[in-house]
Amino acid sequence: MEKLSQRKGVCDLQLGKEENCKGAEIFQVFFHPKKRRDVLVLTPWLAPIVWEGTFSRDILDAQYLQKNLVTGVVTFAVENYVQFIEGFMSSANKYFLAGHPVNFYLFTDCPEKTSHLQMAPENHLFVIPVQHDPRWQDISRSRMDILSSYIQSQFQHEVDYLYSVDINVQLLAHVGVEIIDALVATISSWQVTLQQEDKASETHPESQPALPEGQGDFHYTASFYGGSVAEVYKLSRACSAGLLQDRENGIEGPWHHESHLNRYLLQHKPTRLLSPEYYWDTELSSSSILVKRMCPVHQHSQRQDPQTQSVRPFFFSV
């Protein structure tokens, strides 16, 4: 993999063991797992799972400001998904890392739909024209390739952390700097039982993301993930290569880039997990979800989640 250059005046994005250990020590200052005994707050590999009540945002905000960091958000709005631009942008402008500089990178085939959008003074919107693919499956496949290409050519010079978010969501509460870490994944709100055979994953034996029987940690949604630019670059490159291999083999998995994302995160453990409150399906209910921070906007004419007809949600407990 090509080594990414670091943004001027900012810490090295190629995190080593020393930096990770230091980050873990700092995290203990603001992470309070004992305040949520009703949910799982730590993974088997000791990565924190962020829930409402488990972190001190004031401490995090102060540390984030001192580092002079910029975070980027990548989202795609093509064809029918153009209708979600205004709702997403207005809510993200209000709630995503409020008060901190954020670059929003909007890939769309209708750039004229964005001229009226108003951004907070610290935020910037970059509209990037992109051609639409005839099928939503092809759009899904091309996202990883586009993401890795733009990280290499542009994003690595402009932001320190980068997050991919679906356009058909609305933010309902603050999503703050508690999400910032080297490699961050969001646990799906449709997380199923702990039995591995029930876990939503790619099972075609010839598919690149096919999981070996009995393996898997959590099911992560592709609607919200990210991390340092260097880590997201490695993730997107790997997923793009897997998707290309599947296409050459004539394989079209049911989960597309989400399957490849989950395979990658099985082999490269996230350094921080976001609980389902960071992408909560409003068709569900749970006493564990104290705050719904980000929710999908359902539209009956759009593709429905194939899991919703066959699985039940799994809520974490200790």
Side-chain angles (χ1 to χ4, degrees), residues 209 259 301 306:
S259 297
S301 61

Side-chain angles (χ1 to χ4, degrees), residues 305-318:
D305 190 328
Q307 289 189 88
T308 60
Q309 302 301 320
S310 59
V311 303
R312 60 183 177 86
F314 167 71
F315 303 113
F316 302 97
S317 61
V318 292

Side-chain angles (χ1 to χ4, degrees), residues 20-21 24 27-28 31 40-50 181-188 191 194 196 199 214-220 231 261-275 316:
N20 282 330
C21 291
F27 192 75
Q28 299 302 319
F31 184 53
L40 185 66
V41 295
L42 210 60
T43 70
W45 60 95
L46 302 183
I49 303 176
V50 181
D181 212 321
L183 184 59
V184 181
T186 304
I187 300 170
S188 171
Q191 172 75 59
L194 284 175
Q196 300 296 339
K199 188 161 293 188
Q215 290 192 21
D217 299 315
F218 302 91
H219 183 75
Y220 305 109
E231 290 298 329
L261 174 74
N262 275 270
R263 173 67 183 207
Y264 182 88
L265 294 174
L266 174 63
Q267 299 172 333
H268 307 80
K269 305 297 188 188
T271 56
R272 188 173 305 192
L273 278 65
L274 304 180
S275 68
F316 302 97

Side-chain angles (χ1 to χ4, degrees), residues 27-37 41 51-57 59:
F27 192 75
Q28 299 302 319
V29 177
F30 62 81
F31 184 53
H32 310 296
K34 292 184 179 180
K35 291 188 176 182
R36 289 298 301 272
R37 297 184 180 274
V41 295
W51 295 83
E52 173 67 14
T54 62
F55 58 90
S56 299
R57 182 170 285 138
I59 297 175

